[in-house]
Protein backbone atom coordinates (compact mmCIF):
# COMPACT_ATOMS: atom_id res chain seq x y z
CA UNK A 1 0.00 0.00 0.00
CA UNK A 2 1.24 3.41 -0.89
CA UNK A 3 0.99 5.96 1.91
CA UNK A 4 2.63 8.77 0.04
CA UNK A 5 0.41 11.85 0.58
CA UNK A 6 1.29 13.13 -2.91
CA UNK A 7 -0.64 10.29 -4.57
CA UNK A 8 -3.74 10.87 -2.48
CA UNK A 9 -4.15 14.57 -3.00
CA UNK A 10 -6.08 15.75 -6.01
CA UNK A 11 -4.58 19.21 -6.06
CA UNK A 12 -1.20 19.61 -7.59
CA UNK A 13 1.21 20.67 -4.86
CA UNK A 14 3.28 23.75 -5.42
CA UNK A 15 6.42 23.16 -7.48
CA UNK A 16 8.56 24.45 -4.58
CA UNK A 17 7.18 21.78 -2.28
CA UNK A 18 7.89 19.06 -4.86
CA UNK A 19 11.47 20.24 -5.23
CA UNK A 20 11.87 20.30 -1.45
CA UNK A 21 10.46 16.78 -1.09
CA UNK A 22 12.68 15.59 -3.92
CA UNK A 23 15.70 17.02 -2.16
CA UNK A 24 14.78 15.50 1.21
CA UNK A 25 16.83 12.27 0.85
CA UNK A 26 19.83 14.33 -0.23
CA UNK A 27 19.40 16.66 2.76
CA UNK A 28 19.17 13.67 5.14
CA UNK A 29 22.31 12.23 3.61
CA UNK A 30 24.14 15.53 4.00
CA UNK A 31 23.10 15.84 7.65
CA UNK A 32 24.18 12.23 8.35
CA UNK A 33 27.54 12.63 6.65
CA UNK A 34 28.10 15.92 8.45
CA UNK A 35 27.64 14.10 11.75
CA UNK A 36 30.37 11.60 10.76
CA UNK A 37 32.51 14.47 9.47
CA UNK A 38 32.14 16.22 12.84
CA UNK A 39 33.66 13.21 14.58
CA UNK A 40 37.15 14.01 15.89
CA UNK A 41 39.16 10.81 16.47
CA UNK A 42 40.56 10.94 20.02
CA UNK A 43 44.32 10.68 20.46
CA UNK A 44 45.71 7.62 22.21
CA UNK A 45 49.02 7.21 24.04
CA UNK A 46 50.26 3.75 23.10
CA UNK A 47 53.29 2.37 24.93
CA UNK A 48 55.67 0.91 22.34
CA UNK A 49 58.49 -0.15 24.67
CA UNK A 50 60.69 0.81 27.57
CA UNK A 51 63.51 3.14 26.47
CA UNK A 52 66.60 1.07 25.64
CA UNK A 53 70.27 2.20 25.68
CA UNK A 54 70.09 3.22 22.00
CA UNK A 55 67.06 4.05 19.85
CA UNK A 56 66.99 5.40 16.30
CA UNK A 57 64.11 7.73 15.44
CA UNK A 58 63.77 8.84 11.83
CA UNK A 59 61.42 10.57 9.39
CA UNK A 60 61.83 13.13 6.61
CA UNK A 61 61.77 16.57 8.29
CA UNK A 62 61.77 15.07 11.80
CA UNK A 63 61.59 17.69 14.56
CA UNK A 64 62.17 17.20 18.26
CA UNK A 65 61.45 19.25 21.39
CA UNK A 66 62.81 18.68 24.90
CA UNK A 67 63.00 21.05 27.88
CA UNK A 68 62.58 24.21 25.81
CA UNK A 69 65.16 23.11 23.24
CA UNK A 70 64.34 21.85 19.79
CA UNK A 71 66.05 20.56 16.73
CA UNK A 72 65.55 19.12 13.29
CA UNK A 73 67.23 16.09 11.75
CA UNK A 74 65.95 13.29 9.53
CA UNK A 75 67.59 10.71 11.79
CA UNK A 76 68.14 11.00 15.54
CA UNK A 77 70.32 8.66 17.59
CA UNK A 78 68.76 8.63 21.04
CA UNK A 79 70.93 7.38 23.88
CA UNK A 80 69.90 6.50 27.44
CA UNK A 81 72.47 5.47 30.05
CA UNK A 82 70.00 4.83 32.85
CA UNK A 83 70.26 8.40 34.19
CA UNK A 84 70.26 10.83 31.32
CA UNK A 85 69.29 11.01 27.67
CA UNK A 86 71.18 12.40 24.67
CA UNK A 87 70.07 13.31 21.16
CA UNK A 88 72.83 12.87 18.56
CA UNK A 89 75.41 13.07 21.35
CA UNK A 90 74.01 16.18 23.09
CA UNK A 91 72.35 15.82 26.50
CA UNK A 92 68.63 16.58 26.65
CA UNK A 93 66.09 16.43 29.43
CA UNK A 94 63.02 14.22 29.22
CA UNK A 95 60.20 14.28 28.19
CA UNK A 96 61.13 14.43 24.54
CA UNK A 97 58.65 14.83 21.67
CA UNK A 98 59.16 13.97 17.99
CA UNK A 99 56.90 15.25 15.22
CA UNK A 100 56.93 14.92 11.43
CA UNK A 101 54.47 15.40 8.58
CA UNK A 102 54.39 11.63 7.91
CA UNK A 103 54.98 8.39 9.86
CA UNK A 104 57.97 8.30 12.22
CA UNK A 105 60.16 5.21 12.38
CA UNK A 106 61.37 3.87 15.71
CA UNK A 107 64.24 1.44 15.18
CA UNK A 108 62.99 0.92 11.63
CA UNK A 109 59.26 0.42 12.42
CA UNK A 110 56.99 3.24 11.15
CA UNK A 111 54.20 4.69 13.28
CA UNK A 112 51.64 7.34 12.36
CA UNK A 113 51.24 10.36 14.65
CA UNK A 114 53.92 11.54 17.06
CA UNK A 115 56.52 9.82 19.21
CA UNK A 116 57.22 10.84 22.79
CA UNK A 117 59.76 9.68 25.31
CA UNK A 118 58.03 9.98 28.69
CA UNK A 119 60.34 10.77 31.59
CA UNK A 120 59.27 7.80 33.72
CA UNK A 121 60.89 6.34 35.74
CA UNK A 122 61.54 4.21 33.81
CA UNK A 123 61.33 6.22 30.57
CA UNK A 124 59.01 4.77 27.95
CA UNK A 125 58.56 5.25 24.20
CA UNK A 126 55.00 6.34 23.41
CA UNK A 127 53.18 6.66 20.11
CA UNK A 128 50.61 9.47 20.23
CA UNK A 129 48.20 8.34 17.53
CA UNK A 130 44.57 8.97 16.59
CA UNK A 131 42.28 6.03 17.31
CA UNK A 132 41.44 5.43 13.62
CA UNK A 133 45.11 4.94 12.69
CA UNK A 134 45.50 2.78 15.79
CA UNK A 135 42.61 0.48 14.75
CA UNK A 136 44.11 0.19 11.25
CA UNK A 137 47.35 -1.03 12.84
CA UNK A 138 45.59 -3.56 15.12
CA UNK A 139 43.07 -5.31 12.79
CA UNK A 140 45.57 -7.71 11.19
CA UNK A 141 46.89 -8.83 14.57
CA UNK A 142 43.43 -9.70 15.91
CA UNK A 143 41.68 -10.99 12.73
CA UNK A 144 42.60 -11.51 9.06
CA UNK A 145 41.66 -8.40 7.05
CA UNK A 146 41.08 -10.68 4.02
CA UNK A 147 38.06 -12.20 5.78
CA UNK A 148 34.56 -11.02 4.67
CA UNK A 149 34.20 -7.26 5.20
CA UNK A 150 31.34 -7.40 7.72
CA UNK A 151 33.34 -9.70 10.04
CA UNK A 152 36.39 -7.41 9.83
CA UNK A 153 34.16 -4.37 10.40
CA UNK A 154 32.65 -5.95 13.52
CA UNK A 155 36.19 -6.55 14.81
CA UNK A 156 37.17 -2.94 13.98
CA UNK A 157 34.25 -1.62 16.09
CA UNK A 158 35.32 -3.84 19.01
CA UNK A 159 38.98 -2.72 18.77
CA UNK A 160 37.96 0.96 18.67
CA UNK A 161 35.54 0.56 21.59
CA UNK A 162 38.18 -1.14 23.74
CA UNK A 163 40.79 1.53 22.97
CA UNK A 164 38.54 4.49 23.78
CA UNK A 165 37.29 2.81 26.95
CA UNK A 166 40.84 2.16 28.19
CA UNK A 167 41.85 5.72 27.32
CA UNK A 168 39.13 7.02 29.61
CA UNK A 169 40.01 4.60 32.43
CA UNK A 170 43.74 5.30 32.29
CA UNK A 171 43.80 9.04 31.65
CA UNK A 172 45.85 9.60 34.83
CA UNK A 173 48.44 6.98 33.91
CA UNK A 174 51.57 7.34 31.75
CA UNK A 175 49.88 5.64 28.76
CA UNK A 176 46.45 4.43 27.61
CA UNK A 177 47.34 1.16 25.92
CA UNK A 178 50.21 -1.27 25.75
CA UNK A 179 50.99 -2.40 22.20
CA UNK A 180 51.17 -6.07 23.26
CA UNK A 181 48.51 -8.73 23.85
CA UNK A 182 48.01 -7.38 27.39
CA UNK A 183 45.76 -4.87 25.56
CA UNK A 184 45.54 -5.32 21.79
CA UNK A 185 48.50 -6.14 19.54
CA UNK A 186 49.36 -2.97 17.58
CA UNK A 187 51.85 -3.13 14.72
CA UNK A 188 51.75 0.49 13.54
CA UNK A 189 51.87 1.27 9.82
CA UNK A 190 53.63 -2.02 9.01
CA UNK A 191 50.49 -3.95 10.03
CA UNK A 192 48.19 -1.93 7.74
CA UNK A 193 46.91 -3.03 4.35
CA UNK A 194 44.22 -1.83 1.94
CA UNK A 195 41.57 -4.04 3.54
CA UNK A 196 42.27 -2.82 7.10
CA UNK A 197 42.22 0.80 5.95
CA UNK A 198 38.92 0.23 4.08
CA UNK A 199 37.36 -1.38 7.17
CA UNK A 200 38.36 1.55 9.36
CA UNK A 201 36.94 3.95 6.78
CA UNK A 202 33.60 2.06 6.70
CA UNK A 203 33.31 1.97 10.50
CA UNK A 204 34.88 5.37 11.23
CA UNK A 205 34.02 6.52 14.74
CA UNK A 206 31.61 3.62 15.38
CA UNK A 207 31.66 2.05 18.84
CA UNK A 208 29.64 -0.57 20.69
CA UNK A 209 27.42 0.92 23.40
CA UNK A 210 24.95 -0.11 26.05
CA UNK A 211 22.47 2.62 26.95
CA UNK A 212 24.87 5.20 25.56
CA UNK A 213 27.95 3.95 27.47
CA UNK A 214 30.95 2.21 25.89
CA UNK A 215 30.42 -1.56 26.14
CA UNK A 216 33.46 -3.75 26.76
CA UNK A 217 33.32 -6.48 24.14
CA UNK A 218 35.43 -9.63 24.52
CA UNK A 219 35.98 -11.97 21.56
CA UNK A 220 37.65 -15.27 20.77
CA UNK A 221 38.39 -17.51 17.79
CA UNK A 222 35.68 -20.22 17.95
CA UNK A 223 33.03 -20.93 20.60
CA UNK A 224 32.32 -24.52 19.53
CA UNK A 225 28.55 -23.95 19.46
CA UNK A 226 27.71 -21.68 22.42
CA UNK A 227 29.47 -18.63 23.83
CA UNK A 228 30.55 -18.41 27.48
CA UNK A 229 29.76 -15.89 30.22
CA UNK A 230 32.68 -13.69 31.34
CA UNK A 231 31.92 -14.48 35.01
CA UNK A 232 32.62 -18.17 34.32
CA UNK A 233 36.10 -17.29 33.02
CA UNK A 234 37.22 -14.33 35.11
CA UNK A 235 34.68 -14.17 37.95
CA UNK A 236 32.88 -10.93 38.76
CA UNK A 237 29.55 -9.71 37.46
CA UNK A 238 28.28 -10.12 33.91
CA UNK A 239 27.06 -6.96 32.18
CA UNK A 240 23.63 -6.96 30.46
CA UNK A 241 25.12 -7.32 26.95
CA UNK A 242 27.48 -10.08 28.07
CA UNK A 243 25.30 -13.13 27.51
CA UNK A 244 25.80 -16.72 26.46
CA UNK A 245 24.33 -17.21 22.98
CA UNK A 246 23.93 -20.29 20.78
CA UNK A 247 26.27 -19.81 17.85
CA UNK A 248 25.81 -22.53 15.25
CA UNK A 249 27.96 -20.58 12.79
CA UNK A 250 31.52 -21.70 13.50
CA UNK A 251 31.62 -25.29 12.21
CA UNK A 252 34.16 -24.27 9.55
CA UNK A 253 36.74 -23.37 12.21
CA UNK A 254 39.83 -25.59 12.14
CA UNK A 255 39.38 -26.33 15.86
CA UNK A 256 35.61 -26.72 16.00
CA UNK A 257 36.59 -30.21 17.18
CA UNK A 258 40.04 -30.95 18.54
CA UNK A 259 41.89 -33.76 20.26
CA UNK A 260 45.01 -33.76 22.40
CA UNK A 261 47.29 -35.48 21.76
CA UNK A 262 46.51 -35.37 18.03
CA UNK A 263 47.10 -39.13 17.89
CA UNK A 264 47.61 -41.80 20.53
CA UNK A 265 47.37 -40.90 24.21
CA UNK A 266 49.33 -38.81 26.71
CA UNK A 267 51.12 -41.10 29.13
CA UNK A 268 50.23 -40.92 32.85
CA UNK A 269 53.79 -39.90 33.78
CA UNK A 270 54.07 -37.27 31.02
CA UNK A 271 50.70 -35.76 31.96
CA UNK A 272 51.77 -35.50 35.61
CA UNK A 273 54.93 -33.66 34.53
CA UNK A 274 52.91 -31.28 32.31
CA UNK A 275 50.71 -30.47 35.33
CA UNK A 276 53.69 -29.90 37.62
CA UNK A 277 53.07 -33.13 39.57
CA UNK A 278 55.35 -36.05 40.34
CA UNK A 279 54.57 -39.71 39.66
CA UNK A 280 51.69 -40.79 37.45
CA UNK A 281 48.22 -39.36 36.96
CA UNK A 282 45.56 -41.91 37.96
CA UNK A 283 42.48 -39.95 36.95
CA UNK A 284 41.30 -36.61 35.57
CA UNK A 285 37.66 -35.77 36.38
CA UNK A 286 35.59 -32.73 35.47
CA UNK A 287 33.94 -32.12 38.87
CA UNK A 288 32.01 -28.98 37.94
CA UNK A 289 30.71 -27.66 34.64
CA UNK A 290 29.89 -24.02 33.90
CA UNK A 291 26.35 -23.13 32.86
CA UNK A 292 27.41 -23.55 29.23
CA UNK A 293 28.91 -27.00 29.78
CA UNK A 294 32.59 -26.06 29.94
CA UNK A 295 34.96 -27.53 32.51
CA UNK A 296 34.68 -25.19 35.50
CA UNK A 297 36.60 -27.39 37.95
CA UNK A 298 38.82 -30.40 37.34
CA UNK A 299 40.23 -32.90 39.84
CA UNK A 300 43.52 -34.65 39.06
CA UNK A 301 44.60 -37.63 41.18
CA UNK A 302 48.01 -39.20 41.47
CA UNK A 303 49.03 -41.97 43.87
CA UNK A 304 49.89 -39.55 46.66
CA UNK A 305 48.26 -36.33 45.59
CA UNK A 306 44.95 -34.77 44.65
CA UNK A 307 44.89 -31.50 42.77
CA UNK A 308 41.84 -29.34 42.14
CA UNK A 309 42.12 -26.84 39.30
CA UNK A 310 39.82 -24.50 37.44
CA UNK A 311 39.33 -25.33 33.78
CA UNK A 312 41.31 -22.18 32.91
CA UNK A 313 44.22 -23.27 35.12
CA UNK A 314 44.20 -26.73 33.51
CA UNK A 315 44.54 -25.10 30.07
CA UNK A 316 47.30 -22.82 31.30
CA UNK A 317 49.32 -25.67 32.84
CA UNK A 318 48.99 -28.10 29.95
CA UNK A 319 49.24 -25.38 27.29
CA UNK A 320 46.78 -23.13 25.45
CA UNK A 321 47.91 -24.69 22.16
CA UNK A 322 47.19 -28.21 23.42
CA UNK A 323 43.87 -27.75 25.22
CA UNK A 324 42.27 -25.21 22.86
CA UNK A 325 39.27 -24.52 25.13
CA UNK A 326 37.68 -25.61 28.40
CA UNK A 327 34.84 -27.24 26.48
CA UNK A 328 36.40 -30.66 26.89
CA UNK A 329 36.06 -34.26 28.02
CA UNK A 330 38.79 -36.59 29.27
CA UNK A 331 39.12 -40.30 28.53
CA UNK A 332 41.64 -42.67 30.05
CA UNK A 333 42.85 -45.98 28.67
CA UNK A 334 45.80 -48.35 29.02
CA UNK A 335 48.06 -45.96 27.04
CA UNK A 336 47.12 -42.85 28.99
CA UNK A 337 44.77 -39.90 28.58
CA UNK A 338 42.97 -38.30 25.64
CA UNK A 339 41.34 -34.85 25.82
CA UNK A 340 38.63 -34.04 23.26
CA UNK A 341 37.10 -30.61 22.97
CA UNK A 342 35.27 -28.02 20.91
CA UNK A 343 36.25 -24.50 19.86
CA UNK A 344 39.29 -22.40 20.67
CA UNK A 345 39.78 -19.52 23.09
CA UNK A 346 37.87 -18.48 26.22
CA UNK A 347 34.53 -18.50 24.41
CA UNK A 348 33.34 -15.08 25.69
CA UNK A 349 31.63 -12.54 23.41
CA UNK A 350 31.99 -12.50 19.63
CA UNK A 351 32.97 -15.81 18.02
CA UNK A 352 35.24 -14.80 15.12
CA UNK A 353 34.59 -17.92 13.02
CA UNK A 354 30.88 -17.45 13.66
CA UNK A 355 31.12 -13.80 12.60
CA UNK A 356 32.93 -14.92 9.43
CA UNK A 357 30.13 -17.31 8.54
CA UNK A 358 27.44 -14.72 9.25
CA UNK A 359 29.28 -12.22 7.05
CA UNK A 360 29.52 -14.79 4.25
CA UNK A 361 25.73 -15.22 4.52
CA UNK A 362 25.26 -11.48 3.99
CA UNK A 363 24.77 -10.13 7.51
CA UNK A 364 26.10 -6.63 8.23
CA UNK A 365 28.64 -5.87 10.97
CA UNK A 366 26.00 -4.29 13.20
CA UNK A 367 23.76 -7.38 12.99
CA UNK A 368 26.72 -9.60 13.89
CA UNK A 369 27.61 -7.43 16.89
CA UNK A 370 24.01 -7.32 18.10
CA UNK A 371 23.86 -11.11 17.86
CA UNK A 372 26.87 -11.72 20.11
CA UNK A 373 26.21 -8.72 22.42
CA UNK A 374 22.40 -8.78 22.83
CA UNK A 375 20.91 -5.37 23.49
CA UNK A 376 24.08 -3.46 22.60
CA UNK A 377 24.05 -0.79 19.88
CA UNK A 378 26.58 0.51 17.35
CA UNK A 379 26.82 4.30 17.51
CA UNK A 380 29.07 7.13 16.45
CA UNK A 381 31.31 8.03 19.39
CA UNK A 382 30.40 11.49 20.65
CA UNK A 383 33.27 12.25 22.97
CA UNK A 384 34.00 11.92 26.67
ZN1 LIG B 1 30.81 -19.92 17.46
Amino acid sequence: MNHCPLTRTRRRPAAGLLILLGLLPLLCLLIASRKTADYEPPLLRVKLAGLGPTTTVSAPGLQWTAGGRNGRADTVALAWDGKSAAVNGRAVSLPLAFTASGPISVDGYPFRGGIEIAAGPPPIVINVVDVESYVTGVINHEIDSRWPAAAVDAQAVIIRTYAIKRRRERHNGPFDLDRTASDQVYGGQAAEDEASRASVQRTRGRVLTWQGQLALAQYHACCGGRTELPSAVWGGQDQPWQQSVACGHCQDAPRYFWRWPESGAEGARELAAALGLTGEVLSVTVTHKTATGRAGEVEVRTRGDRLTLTGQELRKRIGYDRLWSTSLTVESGPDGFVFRGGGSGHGVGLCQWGARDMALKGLAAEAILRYYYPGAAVELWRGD
Side-chain angles (χ1 to χ4, degrees):
M1 200 196 292
N2 193 336
H3 289 288
C4 177
L6 287 177
T7 60
R8 281 191 283 158
T9 178
R10 290 185 179 186
R11 289 178 55 192
R12 274 188 68 179
L17 181 64
L18 272 178
I19 291 167
L20 194 66
L21 287 170
L23 286 175
L24 210 57
L26 182 67
L27 285 172
C28 291
L29 199 71
L30 282 173
I31 291 165
S33 63
R34 196 147 113 225
K35 275 183 184 167
T36 308
D38 285 347
Y39 161 70
E40 270 292 320
L43 290 177
L44 304 172
R45 297 166 299 153
V46 184
K47 179 187 171 184
L48 299 182
L51 182 63
T54 58
T55 306
T56 304
V57 184
S58 60
L62 181 70
Q63 297 189 52
W64 58 266
T65 311
R69 291 178 50 205
N70 54 63
R72 191 183 174 111
D74 285 358
T75 300
V76 163
L78 179 61
W80 168 251
D81 64 6
K83 286 182 186 154
S84 56
V87 164
N88 291 342
R90 292 182 62 191
V92 293
S93 60
L94 298 179
L96 175 57
F98 293 96
T99 55
S101 56
I104 301 173
S105 290
V106 179
D107 288 333
Y109 292 94
F111 294 92
R112 297 186 188 276
I115 297 293
E116 290 182 9
I117 313 297
I124 50 176
V125 185
I126 287 174
N127 180 202
V128 182
V129 61
D130 74 90
V131 71
E132 301 303 314
S133 299
Y134 169 81
V135 177
T136 316
V138 171
I139 284 176
N140 272 308
H141 286 286
E142 303 293 333
I143 199 169
D144 188 334
S145 69
R146 294 167 298 182
W147 274 23
V152 181
D153 291 357
Q155 186 74 53
V157 170
I158 293 171
I159 295 168
R160 183 182 295 105
T161 306
Y162 179 89
I164 297 176
K165 191 166 167 55
R166 287 286 180 260
R167 171 182 175 270
R168 181 182 290 177
E169 290 163 358
R170 297 173 179 166
H171 70 276
N172 285 329
F175 57 89
D176 303 318
L177 293 150
D178 192 291
R179 72 174 285 199
T180 69
S182 65
D183 282 313
Q184 302 178 128
V185 179
Y186 166 60
Q189 195 191 21
E192 296 178 8
D193 59 17
E194 277 308 311
S196 71
R197 282 190 282 268
S199 179
V200 168
Q201 199 57 43
R202 283 192 299 270
T203 62
R204 181 177 164 81
R206 304 284 154 181
V207 289
L208 193 77
T209 60
W210 169 264
Q211 297 184 346
Q213 301 296 311
L214 292 170
L216 190 65
Q218 290 95 351
Y219 56 92
H220 61 280
C222 169
C223 73
R226 175 167 276 282
T227 67
E228 179 61 291
L229 293 167
S231 58
V233 180
W234 302 291
Q237 194 84 29
D238 297 319
Q239 299 298 320
W241 66 91
Q242 296 175 322
Q243 297 180 27
S244 168
V245 299
C247 179
H249 296 283
C250 51
Q251 292 91 336
D252 288 343
R255 296 188 186 95
Y256 186 73
F257 292 117
W258 53 262
R259 180 193 200 279
W260 181 74
E262 284 181 20
S263 62
E266 182 75 354
R269 190 168 293 279
E270 289 77 12
L271 183 59
L275 287 165
L277 300 168
T278 52
E280 293 183 357
V281 171
L282 299 177
S283 66
V284 179
T285 313
V286 176
T287 46
H288 169 73
K289 286 188 176 180
T290 70
T292 67
R294 288 173 165 79
E297 189 185 88
V298 180
E299 188 184 84
V300 182
R301 282 176 180 264
T302 62
R303 209 160 294 283
D305 212 351
R306 189 171 69 177
L307 180 67
T308 302
L309 298 164
T310 65
Q312 305 298 325
E313 184 64 24
L314 182 79
R315 273 193 76 200
K316 190 177 171 185
R317 289 204 187 191
I318 292 182
Y320 292 113
D321 58 352
R322 290 172 160 180
L323 304 186
W324 290 96
S325 72
T326 58
S327 181
L328 56 83
T329 58
V330 195
E331 298 158 21
S332 63
D335 297 332
F337 295 83
V338 177
F339 294 75
R340 294 177 200 274
S344 56
H346 52 58
V348 176
L350 179 135
C351 164
Q352 290 179 317
W353 278 90
R356 180 180 183 274
D357 182 63
M358 289 165 88
L360 284 172
K361 287 176 177 151
L363 270 85
E366 186 166 348
I368 295 170
L369 289 164
R370 291 176 71 95
Y371 184 82
Y372 288 107
Y373 309 106
V378 177
E379 294 181 283
L380 183 67
W381 188 69
R382 298 186 190 286
D384 289 315

